Amino acid sequence: MKGNGAALGPLFEKSMLPLADALIRSSQKSARLIGGYLYEEMYLEFVDRAKRQDVVGQLVIHISSASSNEEIDVALGVFYRIASTPAGAQSLRLFIPFLTSLLDNVQNFSPSHLRQLFLLLFTVDCDVEDTTSSGSDEIHILIHKFLALPNVSAKQIGVIGAVSYAACLKEKDSSEKAKEVIDMLELVHKSCAANVSSSKSQFWSQIKPQGSELLAMSVFYDELCLAIQANSLSKLIKGWILDRFGGILENTYLGDLEVMVEDGNERLHIKNKSDRSLIEGSGTNGNAPKAELRYNIDREDAIVYLKLLSLHASDNYQEREVLPHRLCPLLRLMTVAYDERYGGDGIDNIDALLGCPVLLPDSAVCGVDFSDLSDKQKLTTVSTLFTAVCCFREIINSFIYTAVFGPSGCTQLTQEHENLRKKLVTKLRFLLILEEELTLCAKKCYAFAPPSMHPLPIPKDLLDNAEQNDVQHVSDDHLHVESEDIGRMTEMEKKAYKNIKKAAKKKEMEKMKSKQKYLRVKAKFENSLETRTRSALRSLSPYASLALGFNELRVSGLNKSNQCTKIGDSITHSLLQLLNDGLKALLNNDSSHSSNFRFGNFTTNPYEISNEDMNIQQRRKECHEFLHSCIEGDVFVSIHERLVSAAEILGDDDIEEEVKNETTACTLLLMGCMEILFRSHDLKTLEGKPYFDTIIKQIADGEQMPAILTKMPDATLLNNITSLFALLEETVTGRDTNDLTFVITGVGCIHLLVERASAIIDGARDDDKKSYSSYLKTMKQQLSKLCQDLLRRQWKDGTSLNKGNVGILLSLFLEYSELECANLSTKSFDPVKWGRISTINVLTTEALLKLPESIDCKGPVQGFSTCYRSTFGLFYSAVWNAITREISNLFQSPLGKQLQNADACLSTLKFLISVTLAISDLLKNNPPLASRSNLLTQIKLGTKFIDVIVKRALPFCATHFQSFDETIVEILKDIQKISSQLSFIVAHGKRIKDTYLIREGPKVRKSTEGFLHHTKSVLQKNGVLDAFWSGHFNNRNIDGSKIIERTQEDSESDSESSDTESEVEHD
């Protein structure tokens, strides 16, 4: 299109604009991107104002009336690319009325689209030297209007507009422009910080603030954070942020400590008398429980404390309900402003927050004594614990990156850096204690609700007096009558006595049922309270999982005294789960999942307009940066150490069972991380492969890697995969565990390693494939053997055996058991040693055919303890599928294609047919196994078997009939028996009116009919058609026996298939 505007001018309105419009509205991402680039090229190529106006008008329509967010992204991306150059921005100023018309629908835009829209408008309209344009005035009026509204969603529009205006301020801009930006930010702060009073006549614990009171200032803080992380704010604005909000953090949330000498010992004391009275218990505040300075990591070096309890126990509504919930957003803002990655002076300016103590309810109050508190004190306790957990999480998020990589420019681990790591690990341990206390207390405080939420309505069954449900055992002593007295009773008195005892017993049962119902409702309601509270907590960044690489959390397996070092305590489990969730959010491309996480290093610029393709690149970049941080932080090295220790622990019979169970739980999380990594498509790309190679190297060998990642040679990578394969295999087989979930997860990881090794070999050069194939062959054989051992293992009673475990083991056992028979000579050839026939034979003779020997076919089979009647269908379908696949492979292999191997091929085919005939007769000879599901399996898979015979085997038999006529006739007779059994099952289904079996009738008829016609053709050409004769078998049972007495209805239903089932072998 470039340079051909004059020639394409006549096509502009009738062809090009409609084409771009249709493309950008498409559901296909590639089509939308093409449409966006077409709009951009039309705008740049056609300089005529009318044509450009048409382009701008169409794009505005796409933004204002889009059917999807993706359409808005593309349209805004077109405007951004045009405005990114001075000439483009100047040309767009002619169409300011079109762009400002989008402000009429700002309530319908998402926050991300609002940022893009305001940035576009300020970029196009707000020239440095001209701040009085009508478009700029209109934008400022709109910002002021929405800031004045009380609703938080409306106020958020004004906040985003103001911060976007600040993001457009450049270092070279005039002081007047800077003052205007700061004045607008001051207006935002004033609007969001407005105090709200509450009526004291109402019970304060039941008053919940509106969203704007809690969230408006938090929205402002978060927007400033995003702008700083996007490097969009000038130094002047950053300085204003530190001056404006640094004092708030210190004066509102922190209290001073002093050292006092008591009885010759130095002790920390709180200067504030009101807070000190909470600890001493001498205060008059009825809202506050007994207080304690807890979690003091700095010990005697602490100079400040977080006064959370005093805020929540305050009678002032602003202090109690608003200020505590602004703490985390404010803390995040200050951390980002000081962070050296974003141009700050260093996070050590606020490092006192990491180790300072916190004023919280006493530890006993948060535990056993919680039920003794008043309702107000309970609410204060839970609210304080909730804020403390959120605060601890935010502090960990703030300091984790510096703890892992140190200050900017630091190349070696200093003592100060080591101390920071120790503090962070201690903080993580304290966080788990706090979370446990919060969970226990939140379930018992029905009045508590997370910020901006209302308490859950209490179920009606719980509103009744609990004492009525406190059922005591009803004694029958007052109803006891001596037998002598009963003997002196009249018949009427005896009857009355019995009725009294019966009524008392009935009343007691009703009370017991009422109590049980009460307990069920109570447990369900308390669980919902716990779930709601946990979901409302501030999220812990996946970057916190980098603490797994700290020396304080590393493991060394078994020490010399044979005492086990735990590979995973509660903090390790928590961090591994966080790592799992973070990897899943990044590598699974699950946007709904990733929205629950806030990554520490923002690479996606929220204050920069981007199209879909750029978003994908930024997301991939974020993924790679997180993986690079894990690599540099030795996270995967720590996974290697834990796997090695797990293999040692699980393989040692002297270690306690409790320790082994904890190790199994931790190893499950480790394998979950590896499974996510192995399945990732991003790590298979050219950009992602160096990360995958390095991760495999670290997990397999535990070696630290250089900061610069490079693609490894295939041989090195295969060696690493082999080492990791052996480590995982040792871990899975290290103990006779009865945890089948653990075993299947480990087998799944091993399977993914085999698939990745296979992909590497497929992409290697032809010269290298032969040398690499030995790696793959060995791993496949080991995996097949592992699955066989697990199928033979005796699992404990109650273990659930199903398709998700036994089915997977059977599939892998068969898939990777293929053998290559080197000797194809007629005399020494053994069909059992070809392909997967050996495995098929083992499953048939040692499992399927042995099950009928047990009582009522219930099992288990000796030697295959996973083969029960309940799992028979899994074994049965696996063998059927394997036989069909092997027959198909047989005639596509050299054994079936080369003329000199015909005898070996027929012997192999004959053996497979004999095995098929054996399993085909299983259901016929054993009624307990002839369930509907198993019959359906035989029909469906038997039909596929017949189809493969017709497609592959019969043409081969026709070619070699003259040389091997007797063998081929025997094969055809056995196949005919299998075919007849399928027809018997369909006839049986018609007699019992089983719709599922009847539904398969046409498919069976088609397959068997095709087999019969092709067989007759082969025999007729070779003059042996008399080997078969025609007859009727519609009067037979499922086992093939004749039915002496038949009903007219059965005769009519069976006659439909008599024509196609009339060919039977001659006895």
Side-chain angles (χ1 to χ4, degrees), residues 639-881:
I639 290 179
H640 165 80
E641 295 171 351
R642 287 179 167 83
L643 282 176
V644 172
S645 298
E648 295 177 5
I649 294 170
L650 297 178
D652 192 333
D653 296 334
D654 297 331
I655 293 180
E656 297 177 358
E657 190 67 21
E658 181 181 355
V659 175
K660 288 190 174 183
N661 291 335
E662 292 178 355
T663 302
T664 300
C666 181
T667 309
L668 264 176
L669 292 173
L670 295 174
M671 293 188 295
C673 292
M674 289 186 287
E675 186 175 1
I676 296 170
L677 291 167
F678 298 163
R679 290 186 182 276
S680 171
H681 293 289
D682 288 341
L683 298 183
K684 296 178 183 178
T685 62
L686 188 62
E687 293 179 352
K689 196 174 186 306
Y691 294 94
F692 178 82
D693 295 354
T694 305
I695 291 170
I696 290 292
K697 176 69 174 175
Q698 287 193 329
I699 298 178
D701 297 337
E703 295 184 7
Q704 295 182 344
M705 301 298 294
I708 301 176
L709 306 181
T710 57
K711 179 182 175 183
M712 292 183 181
D714 289 340
T716 304
L717 181 56
L718 288 172
N719 277 324
N720 293 333
I721 290 177
T722 303
S723 300
L724 183 54
F725 181 102
L727 180 56
L728 286 172
E729 184 181 20
E730 183 183 1
T731 304
V732 172
T733 59
R735 66 180 294 209
D736 292 335
T737 176
N738 283 305
D739 189 345
L740 199 50
T741 302
F742 169 77
V743 170
I744 293 300
T745 304
V747 170
C749 288
I750 295 174
H751 178 217
L752 291 171
L753 278 178
V754 174
E755 287 185 335
R756 183 56 70 98
S758 179
I760 293 171
I761 295 174
D762 290 340
R765 298 179 303 178
D766 294 337
D767 297 340
D768 296 330
K769 286 185 178 180
K770 291 184 179 180
S771 59
Y772 294 163
S773 60
S774 60
Y775 291 99
L776 186 61
K777 181 180 178 181
T778 302
M779 286 191 291
K780 285 184 176 181
Q781 291 174 350
Q782 291 176 344
L783 178 55
S784 180
K785 185 179 182 302
L786 172 62
C787 293
Q788 181 182 10
D789 293 341
L790 295 173
L791 288 169
R792 293 180 181 274
R793 179 181 292 183
Q794 179 70 47
W795 301 94
K796 70 177 181 180
D797 295 338
T799 301
S800 177
L801 303 177
N802 49 53
K803 187 177 181 179
N805 42 57
V806 174
I808 292 174
L809 294 176
L810 284 168
S811 175
L812 296 178
F813 177 35
L814 285 161
E815 181 179 355
Y816 295 124
S817 62
E818 185 175 8
L819 300 176
E820 296 180 5
C821 186
N823 194 342
L824 300 179
S825 62
T826 305
K827 294 182 179 180
S828 60
F829 177 76
D830 184 0
V832 178
K833 296 182 179 180
W834 185 86
R836 299 177 179 84
I837 296 181
S838 175
T839 304
I840 294 172
N841 187 50
V842 167
L843 290 175
T844 303
T845 58
E846 299 184 28
L848 291 176
L849 298 182
K850 292 291 184 181
L851 185 60
E853 296 178 5
S854 61
I855 300 175
D856 294 332
C857 301
K858 291 183 179 180
V861 174
Q862 187 176 3
F864 264 98
S865 300
T866 54
C867 186
Y868 291 80
R869 187 200 292 181
S870 59
T871 59
F872 171 81
L874 299 174
F875 282 80
Y876 196 57
S877 60
V879 173
W880 267 108
N881 279 318

Side-chain angles (χ1 to χ4, degrees), residues 556-565 644-645 648-649 652 655:
S556 57
L558 301 175
N559 59 28
K560 296 180 180 179
S561 61
N562 202 32
Q563 296 294 321
C564 171
T565 300
V644 172
S645 298
E648 295 177 5
I649 294 170
D652 192 333
I655 293 180

Side-chain angles (χ1 to χ4, degrees), residues 310-563:
S310 54
L311 289 175
H312 279 285
S314 173
D315 288 325
N316 183 279
Y317 178 82
Q318 181 81 5
E319 293 182 0
R320 184 182 68 249
E321 295 291 355
V322 179
L323 293 182
H325 305 302
R326 291 178 179 173
L327 172 58
C328 288
L330 176 60
L331 179 59
R332 179 187 171 198
L333 174 61
M334 300 309 298
T335 302
V336 172
Y338 280 118
D339 199 323
E340 292 178 302
R341 289 175 293 169
Y342 312 119
D345 296 332
I347 201 172
D348 54 337
N349 287 278
I350 55 172
D351 59 355
L353 290 169
L354 181 60
C356 71
V358 187
L359 186 64
L360 293 173
D362 183 85
S363 56
V365 167
C366 300
V368 294
D369 296 340
F370 182 77
S371 58
D372 299 333
L373 301 177
S374 67
D375 290 341
K376 289 185 178 181
Q377 290 175 335
K378 286 181 179 179
L379 183 59
T380 300
T381 300
V382 177
S383 300
T384 306
L385 290 176
F386 182 90
T387 304
V389 171
C390 292
C391 181
F392 274 40
R393 289 188 173 194
E394 190 57 51
I395 290 174
I396 292 170
N397 291 344
S398 301
F399 286 90
I400 185 63
Y401 194 87
T402 303
V404 175
F405 302 107
S408 178
C410 180
T411 58
Q412 293 182 347
L413 195 64
T414 62
Q415 184 61 42
E416 184 179 354
H417 194 187
E418 282 281 5
N419 293 335
L420 181 60
R421 289 188 171 189
K422 291 178 181 179
K423 287 184 179 182
L424 197 62
V425 171
T426 306
K427 201 75 171 181
L428 283 166
R429 297 190 188 279
F430 288 159
L431 173 62
L432 294 180
I433 298 173
L434 265 178
E435 288 178 350
E436 184 177 356
E437 291 180 351
L438 174 63
T439 298
L440 293 175
C441 296
K443 295 169 65 173
K444 305 299 180 183
C445 183
Y446 296 171
F448 172 73
S452 303
M453 298 183 184
H454 290 277
L456 289 177
I458 302 175
K460 183 179 179 182
D461 294 326
L462 297 184
L463 293 175
D464 299 333
N465 191 344
E467 296 180 357
Q468 297 178 358
N469 298 288
D470 188 14
V471 180
Q472 302 293 330
H473 177 69
V474 180
S475 175
D476 291 337
D477 292 342
H478 67 288
L479 299 176
H480 178 71
V481 180
E482 297 292 340
S483 58
E484 296 178 359
D485 295 335
I486 294 177
R488 291 193 294 269
M489 289 182 180
T490 63
E491 292 298 326
M492 185 174 294
E493 289 174 337
K494 291 180 179 179
K495 184 176 181 180
Y497 176 69
K498 289 183 179 179
N499 290 337
I500 291 173
K501 292 192 68 174
K502 185 177 180 181
K505 188 68 174 177
K506 182 178 180 181
K507 185 176 181 180
E508 180 182 359
M509 293 299 296
E510 289 177 351
K511 288 184 178 180
M512 188 61 65
K513 290 180 180 179
S514 176
K515 179 181 180 180
Q516 292 174 351
K517 181 180 179 182
Y518 170 81
L519 293 177
R520 287 196 302 269
V521 173
K522 182 180 179 182
K524 182 178 179 181
F525 180 66
E526 290 182 353
N527 288 336
S528 64
L529 290 175
E530 177 186 350
T531 304
R532 187 186 195 217
T533 301
R534 282 189 171 276
S535 63
L537 288 170
R538 198 162 187 85
S539 61
L540 192 62
S541 170
Y543 273 86
S545 61
L546 297 180
L548 288 167
F550 294 173
N551 291 330
E552 292 76 13
L553 296 178
R554 302 283 277 271
V555 295
S556 57
L558 301 175
N559 59 28
K560 296 180 180 179
S561 61
N562 202 32
Q563 296 294 321

